[in-house]
Amino acid sequence: MIELAFSILAADFAHLADEIHRAERGGGTIVHVDVMDGHFVPNITFGPPVVKAIRPITKLPLDCHLMIENADEYIPAFAEAGADMIGVQLEACRHLNRTLQLIIDHGMLPGVVINPATPVEMLSEVLPMVHHVLVMSVNPGFGGQKFLPQSVSRIRHLSRLREELGLNFRIEVDGGIAHDTVASVVEAGADMLVAGSAIFAPPEQSGTTEENARDFLRVARAAS
Ligand code: DX5
Ligand code: ZN
C-alpha cells in the first residue's frame, strides 16, 4: 500500500492543526515528525511536547523520526506523548538491537533509518525485528534538500533483500521526494513516502496543500 507520510517540518507551525488537516484531506495517512537535537544533526526542531499537542487533533499514526543521540533516554517520553512509530538512526545507536526492543516494549512500531553513506548490508541483523526501514535520500538535518539519485538503487537493493529473506517490513524514503522523484522510488520498492516541502504550500497559498498531497499520491500510485 502506497502511503504519504507528510513531514510537518515544512508546515506553518503557527497553524499546525489546520496544516495537518489539509494534508489529511489531500490523502496523507501518516504524520511524519522530524525530531532533531542539534548534535546528531546540525539543527533543532521539536520533541515530545509537540507530539503530545498534535495527538488529539488527528487519528492518523504519528511517525517520529529521531535524528538524535541517546534515543533510549527519550523513547518512553515519545510513547507517553502518543507516538505510534519510532525510527532511530543506525548511525546514532550504539546498541541498536536494544533500542529497537525498547521501542517495541513501549508499544510502538520500530523502524531503523540509514543515511545515504551507510551500506544497506549493515541492516541485515535487525531486519527481522523492524516494522519499517527508512532510507534517507538526503543527508538528514533540513527540509527542502535535493534528492540523491543513488537512493533508487539502495531502495531496490533493500527490496530484493526483503524478498530473499521472506520478510515484510515496509520501505520508507525521506528527503527531496516530490512529484518529479516519487515515481522512481516507488518503482524501486518504497511504499511509505515522506514529503514535506512538496506538500505544504506557503501560508499565502495554504489552500493548495490539499491539492499538492492529492497530486503527489496520484503520481506515486501510477508508478506502483
Ligand atoms: C530531513 C527530514 C525530512 C524532511 C523532508 O532531515 O528527515 O523528513 O523534512 O523534507 P523535504 O520533503 O522537504 O525534503
Ligand atoms: Zn524525516
Side-chain angles (χ1 to χ4, degrees), residues 2-3 32 36 39-40 55 76 85 92 109 118 125-126 129 154-155 157 161 164 169 179-181 200 206 218:
I2 298 291
E3 287 188 275
H32 185 82
M36 306 189 190
H39 292 277
F40 178 67
R55 181 64 291 173
M85 311 179 202
L109 298 172
T118 302
E125 301 302 321
V126 296
M129 70 187 295
R154 288 164 56 70
I155 293 166
H157 182 169
L161 213 55
E164 278 166 27
F169 57 83
H179 301 66
D180 57 338
T181 49
F200 291 102
S206 57
R218 187 162 15 80

Side-chain angles (χ1 to χ4, degrees), residues 7-10 32-36 41 65 67 89 134 136 138-146 174-178 194-199:
S7 165
I8 58 168
L9 188 59
H32 185 82
V33 182
D34 285 305
V35 178
M36 306 189 190
V41 288
H65 173 192
M67 288 160 273
Q89 293 273 163
L134 168 45
M136 286 306 296
V138 298
N139 287 291
F142 302 94
Q145 300 183 79
K146 202 171 156 344
D174 182 4
I177 306 298
V194 179
S197 42
I199 304 301

Side-chain angles (χ1 to χ4, degrees), residues 68-97:
I68 65 173
E69 288 171 6
N70 305 319
D72 295 15
E73 267 181 52
Y74 301 96
I75 285 165
F78 280 99
E80 179 81 6
D84 299 280
M85 311 179 202
I86 296 270
V88 290
Q89 293 273 163
L90 178 145
E91 303 83 3
C93 294
R94 195 166 290 162
H95 305 289
L96 180 59
N97 177 285

